[in-house]
Amino acid sequence: MDVTLPTRDGERLDAAHLRGPAGSDLCVVLAHSFAGSRRTRAYRRLAAELRRTASVVTFDFRGHGRSSGLSTGGEAEVHDLAAAVEFARAQGYAEVAAVGFSMGAACVIRLAAAGPGLLDAAVAVSAPARWQYRGTTRMRLVQGLTSTPPGRAVLRLTTGTRLSPRPWNPATESPLDAVPKAAATPLLLVHGARDPYYPLATAHALEEAAGAAAHLWAEPSMTHAEAGTSTALMRRIADWLTAPRP
């Protein structure tokens, strides 16, 4: 069922509520990567696999797809994830979890850190640790595209992503700074050893900062985000989400 989700700061998000198996009390919100969309083939493949286990809420972040507004590259997008989680809660599910990819993973960590009980479980796939990272060739390219008017025009033409020209707010809390505050929420970090955007050391830094509440799956053959996540890996994530917790 397609729905429109209002955010607390005035955006309207294109979303869908996909009912899972009868009797499932878990709803999982899927948060895509930067320049992604809930309508991409990779995202839809993963949502379909997850739906075999739980209900799923899919949505496009601001400035992506059919959602309103301009993307801020992760700064304001946590409000979008919060809106999707609030919608899932309103449907009466006993548990609501979130699985995020790259930029979406950063939002998942920040929302889990915003307060206990906002998420019953959190999964961050290919998460960055710090904003404006330039330690790989691929991320230097991304930063070059997002920081100039010609680059933003290229992104809009090639991916449909509408990026805000406003300078990045350096006070925005990074995932690395936020993750220790998420200790009350079970957190799974998933990162590929072949990720061309963020090296595996990124995930190890997040794991160390998170403490005992976090678990890291370092996947030897995985690359990045939705495209790098196999159906089998998503099935393992679904099993983790539904496993009994102490």
Side-chain angles (χ1 to χ4, degrees):
M1 177 181 70
D2 288 345
V3 294
T4 300
L5 306 180
T7 71
R8 293 186 177 181
D9 61 345
E11 302 299 347
R12 297 181 67 79
L13 309 179
D14 178 53
H17 181 203
L18 311 175
R19 292 282 183 183
S24 173
D25 287 330
L26 171 66
C27 185
V28 181
V29 177
L30 276 184
H32 64 75
S33 57
F34 176 71
S37 169
R38 73 180 184 92
R39 299 177 188 274
T40 64
R41 180 178 299 178
Y43 185 105
R44 289 187 287 109
R45 170 177 55 84
L46 299 178
E49 177 58 38
L50 191 55
R51 193 180 182 185
R52 297 172 58 180
T53 302
S55 295
V56 181
V57 171
T58 69
F59 72 99
D60 278 347
F61 280 113
R62 64 186 63 201
H64 291 74
R66 301 178 185 177
S67 293
S68 70
L70 299 175
S71 172
T72 65
E75 182 183 334
E77 278 75 4
V78 68
H79 300 305
D80 304 345
L81 178 60
V85 168
E86 288 169 7
F87 170 83
R89 292 279 183 204
Q91 308 313 302
Y93 293 102
E95 292 188 315
V96 175
V99 177
F101 302 90
S102 196
M103 180 184 75
C107 293
V108 167
I109 291 171
R110 291 176 63 208
L111 186 64
L118 291 175
L119 292 171
D120 293 293
V123 181
V125 182
S126 305
R130 296 198 179 278
W131 304 123
Q132 310 298 86
Y133 177 74
R134 294 177 179 266
T136 60
T137 300
R138 197 70 62 90
M139 282 308 299
R140 286 191 290 274
L141 174 61
V142 170
Q143 296 297 344
L145 286 172
T146 58
S147 62
T148 64
R152 291 192 288 270
V154 168
L155 278 171
R156 184 163 189 160
L157 286 172
T158 57
T159 70
T161 305
R162 307 172 306 280
L163 189 64
S164 172
R166 183 173 57 81
W168 182 265
N169 179 4
T172 303
E173 187 173 45
S174 72
L176 189 63
D177 291 332
V179 75
K181 303 174 188 176
T185 303
L187 172 64
L188 175 62
L189 301 167
V190 182
H191 210 96
R194 297 172 57 197
D195 192 320
Y197 291 87
Y198 304 113
L200 189 55
T202 300
H204 285 297
L206 287 168
E207 180 190 29
E208 182 178 357
H215 303 274
L216 171 61
W217 292 354
E219 300 295 315
S221 61
M222 179 185 172
T223 55
H224 185 71
E226 297 99 319
T229 302
S230 67
T231 302
L233 177 55
M234 180 53 80
R235 192 174 305 127
R236 287 169 52 207
I237 290 171
D239 290 343
W240 182 85
L241 286 169
T242 55
R245 306 191 194 284

